Amino acid sequence: MSTIGMMDGAFFVGRKEIMEWVNGTLDLNLAKVEDTASGAVACQLLDIMYPGKVPMNKVNWSAKQSFEFVANYKVLQTCFSKLGIDRHIDVDRLISGKYMDNLEFMQWFKRFFEMSVSDIGDYDCVQQRSKGKGGATYGGGKKAPTAAAAKSKPAQAKPSAAPKASAAPAKAPSRAAAKAPSSSEQENAAPVVNSRGGGGASFDVQQKELQSLRQANEEASR
């Protein structure tokens, strides 16, 4: 309608409210405003406002390509002309899927819809969609995972605690190393006498070293 200008409060409605209104009115699960770019949503909103005036069998709900979007907007524009609705549809901008263009169109449509409709009554959204191509299975978004699917997801195993290393048993000291003689004990130890009755070679060397040390001390004390 030409009476809905750009400064109208309709164009200050946020994305979240728009999506809640579209999904609630048409029983859909659209995730983004851009999902309305095909023109099918606008055709069904108009079908609620003017029952029997929109050829829903010509609406393509499975449209993916630009030329398929254009076909839906042709259906909408033809209905606008027949119903005397003064509203220019900028098809080129809408089919591009840009956020702002599609948001403004849905803002306008929400205001236009609410000016004429207060209650959709017994209008069956699913049945009316099923008249068009792909309408019977169209949901408009990804479904949330079911509880069964959530349960089937394998749980991550918790890392098990590392086993404690057992302490290695301490080895008992050998008999030879059980008691190591101190340095003083080594000095006072008696020389080993061999079986032949004579002192060992190591004893002779030790006596010579001690003698030389005594001599050195005596000379230093003179």
Side-chain angles (χ1 to χ4, degrees):
M1 299 286 289
S2 59
T3 56
I4 306 175
M6 288 302 296
M7 295 307 295
D8 191 280
F11 295 100
F12 295 94
V13 178
R15 178 197 62 83
K16 182 179 180 182
E17 185 176 342
I18 289 294
M19 297 313 300
E20 288 176 352
W21 170 72
V22 171
N23 289 329
T25 303
L26 301 182
D27 192 18
L28 291 174
N29 187 31
L30 299 177
K32 302 179 295 182
V33 174
E34 296 91 317
D35 292 335
T36 66
S38 70
V41 167
C43 287
Q44 187 164 24
L45 289 172
L46 191 66
D47 185 54
I48 296 175
M49 298 175 66
Y50 299 93
K53 300 298 182 180
V54 181
M56 294 298 293
N57 61 313
K58 294 184 178 180
V59 178
N60 185 358
W61 291 93
S62 60
K64 301 295 182 183
Q65 304 297 326
S66 297
F67 69 90
E68 294 175 314
F69 293 0
V70 171
N72 284 340
Y73 282 110
K74 282 184 178 180
V75 173
L76 185 65
Q77 186 67 72
T78 300
C79 291
F80 273 19
S81 299
K82 290 181 178 180
L83 295 170
I85 301 171
D86 184 15
R87 168 71 186 190
H88 171 69
I89 302 175
D90 196 338
V91 178
D92 290 335
R93 296 176 69 89
L94 292 172
I95 65 175
S96 66
K98 292 182 179 179
Y99 168 77
M100 188 55 65
D101 295 323
N102 284 277
L103 176 63
E104 289 179 356
F105 189 54
M106 283 296 106
Q107 287 171 332
W108 174 87
F109 225 115
K110 181 176 184 295
R111 177 65 172 142
F112 176 48
F113 184 93
E114 292 174 344
M115 289 172 63
S116 306
V117 180
S118 59
D119 185 7
I120 67 174
D122 58 354
Y123 181 89
D124 192 332
C125 298
V126 178
Q127 183 180 3
Q128 286 297 100
R129 276 198 298 275
S130 65
K131 295 179 181 180
K133 182 180 179 181
T137 58
Y138 184 79
K142 295 181 179 179
K143 294 183 179 180
T146 60
K151 289 182 180 179
S152 63
K153 186 178 180 181
Q156 295 181 352
K158 295 182 179 180
S160 58
K164 295 181 179 180
S166 57
K171 295 182 179 180
S174 60
R175 292 182 179 179
K179 186 178 179 181
S182 61
S183 58
S184 59
E185 290 175 342
Q186 291 178 355
E187 292 178 358
N188 297 328
V192 179
V193 180
N194 57 21
S195 57
R196 295 180 182 179
S202 60
F203 175 74
D204 295 337
V205 174
Q206 185 178 10
Q207 290 298 318
K208 290 179 180 179
E209 290 178 352
L210 290 174
Q211 186 175 1
S212 63
L213 287 174
R214 290 192 186 99
Q215 292 176 353
N217 290 333
E218 289 177 356
E219 292 177 357
S221 60
R222 292 177 182 175

